[in-house]
Amino acid sequence: MIASIIEGGNFLDHRGSISYVNDFSFKEIERFYIISNSEENPIRAWQGHKLDAKNFYCVSGAFKIHFLKIDNWENPSKNLKIETILVSARESKIVHIPAGYANAIESLEKDSKLISFSTLPLANVCDDDFRYASDYWKINRA
């Protein structure tokens, strides 16, 4: 399985607006986090999971979500292909990153916030958290 986008929408009338992603199921979600990177360090990189799938929704601002399929958890190739998906609070979509991938989260605007929905129970996280140096794979920031 590769990363996918679950499209949502926005509704606006005289009362205000509603953003939604009705096709997203919370059935397998165990917990969530809200990520807000600092201005000094706008990239949070690299974290991988053999078992935990991640689902990202932008609440404010904008992010680039970079991800790659890990080939060897103990010594991954430095030549793995980085994929990137742009998310913004102006859109309503969830980016699903399946288990077996590493990701990097890059803030594009000040005060950006991203919700990360995780599928693995907290008790199992310590055995499934693989961290790599932030420069292990070079992110193109153009």
Side-chain angles (χ1 to χ4, degrees), residues 10 19 58-62 86-92 109:
N10 297 296
S19 298
C58 185
V59 177
S60 65
L86 178 67
V87 295
S88 140
R90 292 175 290 286
E91 305 170 312
S92 188
E109 299 174 10

mmCIF file of all heavy atoms in Angstrom, residues 10 19 58-62 86-92 109:
data_model
loop_
_atom_site.group_PDB
_atom_site.id
_atom_site.type_symbol
_atom_site.label_atom_id
_atom_site.label_comp_id
_atom_site.label_asym_id
_atom_site.label_seq_id
_atom_site.Cartn_x
_atom_site.Cartn_y
_atom_site.Cartn_z
ATOM 1 N N ASN A 10 -15.367 21.677 2.157
ATOM 2 C CA ASN A 10 -15.669 22.824 2.999
ATOM 3 C C ASN A 10 -17.063 23.319 2.651
ATOM 4 O O ASN A 10 -17.465 23.289 1.486
ATOM 5 C CB ASN A 10 -14.659 23.956 2.760
ATOM 6 C CG ASN A 10 -13.256 23.564 3.137
ATOM 7 O OD1 ASN A 10 -12.982 23.297 4.287
ATOM 8 N ND2 ASN A 10 -12.360 23.504 2.160
ATOM 9 N N SER A 19 -15.392 22.435 7.824
ATOM 10 C CA SER A 19 -14.478 21.599 7.041
ATOM 11 C C SER A 19 -14.708 20.161 7.470
ATOM 12 O O SER A 19 -14.904 19.894 8.659
ATOM 13 C CB SER A 19 -13.023 21.984 7.304
ATOM 14 O OG SER A 19 -12.794 23.311 6.903
ATOM 15 N N CYS A 58 -4.356 19.035 8.262
ATOM 16 C CA CYS A 58 -3.873 20.384 8.557
ATOM 17 C C CYS A 58 -4.998 21.236 9.128
ATOM 18 O O CYS A 58 -6.035 21.429 8.496
ATOM 19 C CB CYS A 58 -3.319 21.022 7.284
ATOM 20 S SG CYS A 58 -2.574 22.631 7.577
ATOM 21 N N VAL A 59 -4.777 21.757 10.337
ATOM 22 C CA VAL A 59 -5.762 22.589 11.028
ATOM 23 C C VAL A 59 -5.549 24.069 10.709
ATOM 24 O O VAL A 59 -6.502 24.821 10.546
ATOM 25 C CB VAL A 59 -5.684 22.364 12.560
ATOM 26 C CG1 VAL A 59 -6.629 23.268 13.299
ATOM 27 C CG2 VAL A 59 -5.961 20.913 12.884
ATOM 28 N N SER A 60 -4.292 24.486 10.633
ATOM 29 C CA SER A 60 -3.995 25.870 10.283
ATOM 30 C C SER A 60 -2.665 25.929 9.544
ATOM 31 O O SER A 60 -1.792 25.098 9.745
ATOM 32 C CB SER A 60 -3.968 26.766 11.529
ATOM 33 O OG SER A 60 -2.918 26.391 12.388
ATOM 34 N N GLY A 61 -2.552 26.927 8.671
ATOM 35 C CA GLY A 61 -1.327 27.089 7.899
ATOM 36 C C GLY A 61 -1.204 26.074 6.787
ATOM 37 O O GLY A 61 -2.200 25.687 6.173
ATOM 38 N N ALA A 62 0.031 25.619 6.565
ATOM 39 C CA ALA A 62 0.306 24.658 5.492
ATOM 40 C C ALA A 62 1.564 23.860 5.821
ATOM 41 O O ALA A 62 2.448 24.336 6.536
ATOM 42 C CB ALA A 62 0.473 25.383 4.158
ATOM 43 N N LEU A 86 1.439 18.160 -0.331
ATOM 44 C CA LEU A 86 1.155 19.444 0.290
ATOM 45 C C LEU A 86 -0.227 19.406 0.926
ATOM 46 O O LEU A 86 -1.186 18.940 0.308
ATOM 47 C CB LEU A 86 1.212 20.545 -0.775
ATOM 48 C CG LEU A 86 0.891 21.960 -0.326
ATOM 49 C CD1 LEU A 86 1.954 22.482 0.629
ATOM 50 C CD2 LEU A 86 0.769 22.878 -1.526
ATOM 51 N N VAL A 87 -0.324 19.868 2.177
ATOM 52 C CA VAL A 87 -1.616 20.011 2.853
ATOM 53 C C VAL A 87 -1.728 21.440 3.362
ATOM 54 O O VAL A 87 -0.727 22.062 3.704
ATOM 55 C CB VAL A 87 -1.814 19.003 4.007
ATOM 56 C CG1 VAL A 87 -1.874 17.586 3.494
ATOM 57 C CG2 VAL A 87 -0.756 19.150 5.073
ATOM 58 N N SER A 88 -2.955 21.923 3.400
ATOM 59 C CA SER A 88 -3.192 23.287 3.829
ATOM 60 C C SER A 88 -4.538 23.369 4.524
ATOM 61 O O SER A 88 -5.445 22.583 4.234
ATOM 62 C CB SER A 88 -3.134 24.197 2.597
ATOM 63 O OG SER A 88 -4.077 25.181 2.600
ATOM 64 N N ALA A 89 -4.678 24.339 5.415
ATOM 65 C CA ALA A 89 -5.956 24.538 6.100
ATOM 66 C C ALA A 89 -7.032 25.008 5.131
ATOM 67 O O ALA A 89 -8.217 24.892 5.417
ATOM 68 C CB ALA A 89 -5.780 25.545 7.234
ATOM 69 N N ARG A 90 -6.644 25.521 3.977
ATOM 70 C CA ARG A 90 -7.614 25.962 2.976
ATOM 71 C C ARG A 90 -8.293 24.789 2.281
ATOM 72 O O ARG A 90 -9.346 24.942 1.676
ATOM 73 C CB ARG A 90 -6.930 26.870 1.948
ATOM 74 C CG ARG A 90 -6.497 28.206 2.560
ATOM 75 C CD ARG A 90 -5.720 29.080 1.599
ATOM 76 N NE ARG A 90 -4.394 28.596 1.269
ATOM 77 C CZ ARG A 90 -3.336 28.635 2.076
ATOM 78 N NH1 ARG A 90 -3.454 29.105 3.292
ATOM 79 N NH2 ARG A 90 -2.159 28.205 1.687
ATOM 80 N N GLU A 91 -7.674 23.618 2.359
ATOM 81 C CA GLU A 91 -8.243 22.391 1.795
ATOM 82 C C GLU A 91 -8.712 21.527 2.968
ATOM 83 O O GLU A 91 -8.288 21.735 4.084
ATOM 84 C CB GLU A 91 -7.199 21.605 1.014
ATOM 85 C CG GLU A 91 -6.505 22.386 -0.059
ATOM 86 C CD GLU A 91 -5.326 21.614 -0.615
ATOM 87 O OE1 GLU A 91 -4.530 21.091 0.185
ATOM 88 O OE2 GLU A 91 -5.221 21.540 -1.832
ATOM 89 N N SER A 92 -9.511 20.565 2.666
ATOM 90 C CA SER A 92 -9.918 19.629 3.711
ATOM 91 C C SER A 92 -9.632 18.229 3.189
ATOM 92 O O SER A 92 -10.389 17.700 2.372
ATOM 93 C CB SER A 92 -11.400 19.801 4.046
ATOM 94 O OG SER A 92 -11.726 19.030 5.172
ATOM 95 N N GLU A 109 4.234 27.780 6.854
ATOM 96 C CA GLU A 109 3.768 29.077 7.327
ATOM 97 C C GLU A 109 3.909 29.152 8.845
ATOM 98 O O GLU A 109 3.887 28.120 9.522
ATOM 99 C CB GLU A 109 2.288 29.280 6.962
ATOM 100 C CG GLU A 109 2.002 29.259 5.480
ATOM 101 C CD GLU A 109 0.512 29.323 5.159
ATOM 102 O OE1 GLU A 109 -0.297 29.574 6.095
ATOM 103 O OE2 GLU A 109 0.158 29.109 3.993
#
